[in-house]
Amino acid sequence: MTTIYDIAKLANVSPMTVSRVINNNGRVSDKTRAKVKKIMKDLHYVPNSMARSLVLQQSHIITLLITDITNPFYTTVARGAEDAANRNGYKLMFGNTDESLLKEQEYVDTFLSMRVDGVLFAPVGDDSKPHLERLQQNNMPLVLLDREVPGVTADAVIGDSKDGARKLVELLIQQGHTRIALVNGSSHVSTARERLNGYVEALKLNDLPVDPSYVTEWKYNQTGGDREVIRSWMDREDRPTAIFAANNILALETLKLLRSMDVRVPDDISLVSFDDFGQADEVSPFLTVASQPAYQFGVLGMQMLIERIQNNEQPARKLVLPCSLITRASSIPPLHLS
Amino acid sequence: MTTIYDIAKLANVSPMTVSRVINNNGRVSDKTRAKVKKIMKDLHYVPNSMARSLVLQQSHIITLLITDITNPFYTTVARGAEDAANRNGYKLMFGNTDESLLKEQEYVDTFLSMRVDGVLFAPVGDDSKPHLERLQQNNMPLVLLDREVPGVTADAVIGDSKDGARKLVELLIQQGHTRIALVNGSSHVSTARERLNGYVEALKLNDLPVDPSYVTEWKYNQTGGDREVIRSWMDREDRPTAIFAANNILALETLKLLRSMDVRVPDDISLVSFDDFGQADEVSPFLTVASQPAYQFGVLGMQMLIERIQNNEQPARKLVLPCSLITRASSIPPLHLS
DNA sequence: TGGCAATATCATATATCGTGGTCATTCGTT
DNA sequence: AACGAATGACCACGATATATGATATTGCCA
């Protein structure tokens, strides 16, 4: 591809003069400037940002790593982060780990080796710790998103999972449910632990028993969960009258499973969950959810990151965003009360 | 950050030896290799891919540009492309244009200046032509996705929009509808033109009139559409009994609008559209759609791109993927027939 | 068995990729 | 002659390729 040397030769000037024209600094006469610009256009010249960031030591690129690009929660986060990045003159590029630690590690290496200016990071879980430490050891500006990691001190924007979970479960209790099951994410993820905490707390506050056999753990992206657990719940005498799914994807999977067993929601069992479904909610608003301000997650995370890029020495900050309860058709009082 | 020079100094070897250890080529004694590796690990060394790709003239990075990251169709495409890229040893990074030509242009410049190995490109529309030409002028391997651009010769993976549209409209006609409106995407986008073609063709084949006032044009991501048009349709004596929305987002927006006017779907009016809603379809399968194999779009596009990276001289190829009709609750015979 | 050339193995010096910063130099004016 | 504006020469950024130098190993023959 064309370089400043090619252009310099054609324009009968030195490469440095071309560089000056490109960056619009230093003194270049209008005549040579025009001549150089014309040749650049004719040759479809594009500056090589590899070479440029090699000498400038910065790329003006920020990356966002999410764990599930098909999850509307994360894509909405992405939109927020993108808008905030563009407003500040940064380009945003995305990576998707698919809840895989291996992919996460590879992306971390890619980001480090690309010398991006900063990373917005939704970690896979607690085992992401070495990856985060690797970023920090290399002094890479970093902001955690949605999930915290024990033992890692870093800026973070997270949701109030415990509070949201408690609100959901208390709603169910108010509706008369006493046997509430939980389809949770992996306990290696902070949000799953917090949601379990909120679930337990709501039960205890209302003097309801906490039955561990009513709690199961899947991965947040639903792969590899034990489908039989739900089946076994339905076979019990004291079958739960409501299920709390810890995120939107788990709620969908649960719903599918219930349908395949001819269990109707909400007639036979109520279902509530965390996170909306993006625009799809409009089709037929159905699930009662604790909704998180996804777009704001992205915007605020990006702002925090850009401040950290400007000064990586400041102490770590943590932002906890509230969730709001949206009551819809999927949760109703249990049969014996209606 | 640490460089091979730092490591070389500590290991008492030359930078070149360190480079050999990193790339596992050339002959290095086991002793020095071990020594160098230890120091690299101690210093958390990460190779600088800017410097590397500067000399190697390749980055092993492929980028995918989509027009709406919150659209489940595109995120599913992304997952397919990602899987195919990883299988072939490439890293995939994403860009999102939000249906904006300006953002598209900026991403094109970024990709060119980053000297990525190839670009998978869902163009905003016909006006993307200069952007695509810019890529081609710089010899950047390129595969179009989902949308074609008149006057641009390039590899492409697209859906059979015309056929899908015809299938949808013919289903409505079979159900007894005769007044079918179309909420289309911009006529500057190839898929919108094809879907209009299919719509018109289905009407003509069934000896139904084509009324231009029953066709409106919005942007595919729904921003800036003229909401009043739909309102005016509903005010007419001969109000349409069915609406065909040209993609999932437009269908949602239409649905919202109808709801706000207390028009019920499907009781008062039927609604069909292109593209699924990802996992959200499971919540409550509702809309009748022409479904495109989104994941396959990504996989096949990526394979095509990788072949083009290996040989950019071969003639352009075009792959047209079929869509399948999924009949659901949103389309029923019109009132007067039931 | 000793001696030396031939060969294989390991390591380094130097040039290069495309750009920007610094400082020296040239040019045109007054 | 003197000054400021315009331009150029050279090096650095962090890596790799090539050619070459420095050892270690082997083979061969007297």
Side-chain angles (χ1 to χ4, degrees), chain A residues 126-135 137 152:
Chain A
D126 296 353
D127 297 334
S128 301
K129 190 177 173 203
H131 305 159
L132 297 170
E133 285 171 341
R134 190 166 167 75
L135 288 169
Q137 283 156 350
V152 174

Side-chain angles (χ1 to χ4, degrees), chain B residues 226-257:
Chain B
D226 178 6
R227 306 293 187 278
E228 288 309 309
V229 177
I230 291 190
R231 206 174 296 276
S232 76
W233 287 344
M234 294 303 128
D235 289 341
R236 289 168 65 156
E237 279 287 303
D238 54 342
R239 59 151 66 176
T241 60
I243 296 180
F244 164 31
N247 84 343
N248 47 7
I249 309 292
L250 294 177
L252 289 179
E253 193 63 15
T254 303
L255 192 60
K256 267 205 288 191
L257 219 67

Side-chain angles (χ1 to χ4, degrees), chain A residues 82-143:
Chain A
E82 186 186 27
D83 287 348
N86 290 341
R87 273 198 297 272
N88 288 276
Y90 287 92
K91 281 268 132 240
L92 182 63
M93 305 201 58
F94 310 96
N96 174 43
T97 60
D98 209 22
E99 302 280 5
S100 146
L101 280 167
L102 180 61
K103 287 192 186 177
E104 185 174 273
Q105 189 205 54
E106 286 174 355
Y107 269 116
V108 165
D109 279 349
T110 303
F111 295 164
L112 278 173
S113 75
M114 283 178 68
R115 305 293 196 266
V116 299
D117 286 359
V119 182
L120 257 177
F121 202 111
V124 167
D126 296 353
D127 297 334
S128 301
K129 190 177 173 203
H131 305 159
L132 297 170
E133 285 171 341
R134 190 166 167 75
L135 288 169
Q136 293 184 319
Q137 283 156 350
N138 284 281
N139 219 32
M140 174 68 75
L142 164 72
V143 172

Side-chain angles (χ1 to χ4, degrees), chain B residues 68-87:
Chain B
D68 184 0
I69 198 178
T70 64
N71 186 329
F73 170 72
Y74 283 121
T75 58
T76 309
V77 170
R79 284 286 293 104
E82 186 186 27
D83 287 349
N86 290 343
R87 273 198 298 273

Side-chain angles (χ1 to χ4, degrees), chain B residues 62-166:
Chain B
I62 287 177
T63 50
L64 164 63
L65 197 58
I66 57 183
T67 64
D68 184 0
I69 198 178
T70 64
N71 186 329
F73 170 72
Y74 283 121
T75 58
T76 309
V77 170
R79 284 286 293 104
E82 186 186 27
D83 287 349
N86 290 343
R87 273 198 298 273
N88 288 276
Y90 286 93
K91 282 266 133 242
L92 183 64
M93 305 201 60
F94 310 95
N96 174 43
T97 60
D98 209 23
E99 302 280 4
S100 147
L101 281 166
L102 180 61
K103 287 192 187 178
E104 184 173 274
Q105 188 204 56
E106 286 174 355
Y107 269 116
V108 165
D109 279 349
T110 303
F111 295 165
L112 279 172
S113 75
M114 284 179 66
R115 305 292 197 266
V116 300
D117 286 358
V119 181
L120 214 56
F121 201 112
V124 167
D126 297 353
D127 297 333
S128 301
K129 190 177 173 201
H131 305 160
L132 297 169
E133 285 171 342
R134 190 166 167 75
L135 287 170
Q136 292 184 320
Q137 283 155 350
N138 284 282
N139 218 33
M140 175 68 75
L142 165 72
V143 172
L144 291 179
L145 221 51
D146 183 48
R147 301 171 179 178
E148 290 186 288
V149 174
V152 174
T153 306
D155 284 340
V157 178
I158 60 170
D160 196 340
S161 281
K162 184 174 170 187
D163 181 64
R166 200 181 43 215

Side-chain angles (χ1 to χ4, degrees), chain A residues 206 284 287 301:
Chain A
N206 289 274
S284 40
L287 277 170

Side-chain angles (χ1 to χ4, degrees), chain A residues 230-299:
Chain A
I230 292 191
R231 206 174 296 276
S232 76
W233 288 345
M234 294 302 127
D235 289 341
R236 288 167 66 156
E237 278 287 304
D238 54 343
R239 59 150 67 175
T241 59
I243 296 180
F244 164 31
N247 85 344
N248 48 6
I249 309 293
L250 294 177
L252 289 178
E253 192 62 17
T254 302
L255 191 61
K256 266 204 288 192
L257 218 66
L258 292 173
R259 285 226 176 98
S260 74
M261 298 161 58
D262 279 324
V263 178
R264 292 162 307 163
V265 176
D267 310 73
D268 301 326
I269 194 166
S270 286
L271 179 63
V272 304
S273 86
F274 243 86
D275 300 333
D276 326 80
F277 295 86
Q279 310 110 322
D281 282 317
E282 313 289 347
V283 188
S284 40
F286 175 66
L287 277 170
T288 292
V289 297
S291 165
Q292 301 192 93
Y295 188 86
Q296 283 305 310
F297 265 69
V299 171

